[in-house]
Amino acid sequence: MTNEQILAACRSNWEYRGVSDAAAREMLDELSAHLEDAEAAGRTAQDVVGPDVRAFAAAWARERAPFAQRALRTAAMACFILGVLPVLSHLVRWTLQLPVTADYLAFWVAMGSITVAWELRRGRMRTHQHWLLFFAVGLPVTLLTKWLSGDGVLFTLPLWGAMLLLLPGLPYAFADFRSHRKAKNASTQPF
């Protein structure tokens, strides 16, 4: 494999695993420097990355973001998403009390648990994967639960309760926003 092919394979593996753009760029720069140093010293690229490029990229991604760190981030972001949706429902309905029915709860539990499991195992979900998940899992679960349980209200969620769910994910959401903005600014600036 050429150095460009190795860098492309690592980049796609890191995108698949949900490594942030800034971290991936930093890792690619470091790997590129190591590959150039190895080439200058008369060694092959396999001396740097080993025989399996994908295993090398996966190991580096796991080292960069260990499971415990990814699990904490995913749980915090799940709380954030579970807080944003009721807050938006409060705002749309213009109420301080949101009635939560079984189908509403089943939909978000199904969508949330599959999304969290996917992100812990595979990395970030793409938009089309979220839509596929919605139609393949969320909609059938909602319809089945509504058919089985009816329209009864399980509990009412106050606005302050929904806003409380936002708190664990705010630092991560803010950090993601800043890293996306930095990556966008870095890509638009000429060298």
Side-chain angles (χ1 to χ4, degrees), residues 7 10-11 14 21-37 60 64 191:
L7 292 171
C10 288
R11 180 185 305 113
W14 294 332
D21 293 336
R25 254 187 274 108
E26 180 182 317
M27 293 162 69
L28 283 170
D29 290 343
E30 186 177 340
L31 179 59
S32 178
H34 285 301
L35 290 172
E36 288 172 6
D37 290 345
W60 199 358
R64 189 72 177 211
F191 290 98

Side-chain angles (χ1 to χ4, degrees), residues 14-175:
W14 294 332
E15 286 175 0
Y16 176 73
R17 293 182 180 279
V19 175
S20 70
D21 293 336
R25 254 187 274 108
E26 180 182 317
M27 293 162 69
L28 283 170
D29 290 343
E30 186 177 340
L31 179 59
S32 178
H34 285 301
L35 290 172
E36 288 172 6
D37 290 345
E39 190 176 296
R43 296 180 306 166
T44 65
Q46 284 190 340
D47 293 336
V48 176
V49 297
D52 189 1
V53 176
R54 283 179 279 173
F56 168 80
W60 199 358
R62 280 191 302 273
E63 179 183 313
R64 189 72 177 211
F67 180 77
Q69 183 182 3
R70 286 184 294 141
L72 179 64
R73 181 189 185 285
T74 302
M77 289 307 289
C79 283
F80 183 78
I81 297 301
L82 289 175
V84 165
L85 298 169
V87 166
L88 290 176
S89 294
H90 280 287
L91 293 175
V92 167
R93 294 179 183 181
W94 201 251
T95 181
L96 295 175
Q97 300 289 329
L98 179 68
V100 178
T101 59
D103 57 324
Y104 183 84
L105 190 61
F107 173 79
W108 291 115
V109 166
M111 295 289 287
S113 57
I114 291 173
T115 302
V116 166
W118 179 279
E119 290 198 6
L120 285 177
R121 176 74 180 124
R122 301 268 185 185
R124 292 190 181 137
M125 289 182 90
R126 306 273 187 249
T127 303
H128 70 280
Q129 291 169 329
H130 277 289
W131 281 106
L132 181 64
L133 178 64
F134 170 76
F135 285 112
V137 176
L139 200 55
V141 164
T142 301
L143 294 174
L144 182 64
T145 306
K146 188 163 188 76
W147 180 66
L148 290 173
S149 67
D151 291 331
V153 174
L154 298 176
F155 60 92
T156 57
L157 180 67
L159 179 60
W160 64 265
M163 294 182 116
L164 197 61
L165 285 171
L166 296 173
L167 291 179
L170 280 177
Y172 293 105
F174 183 70

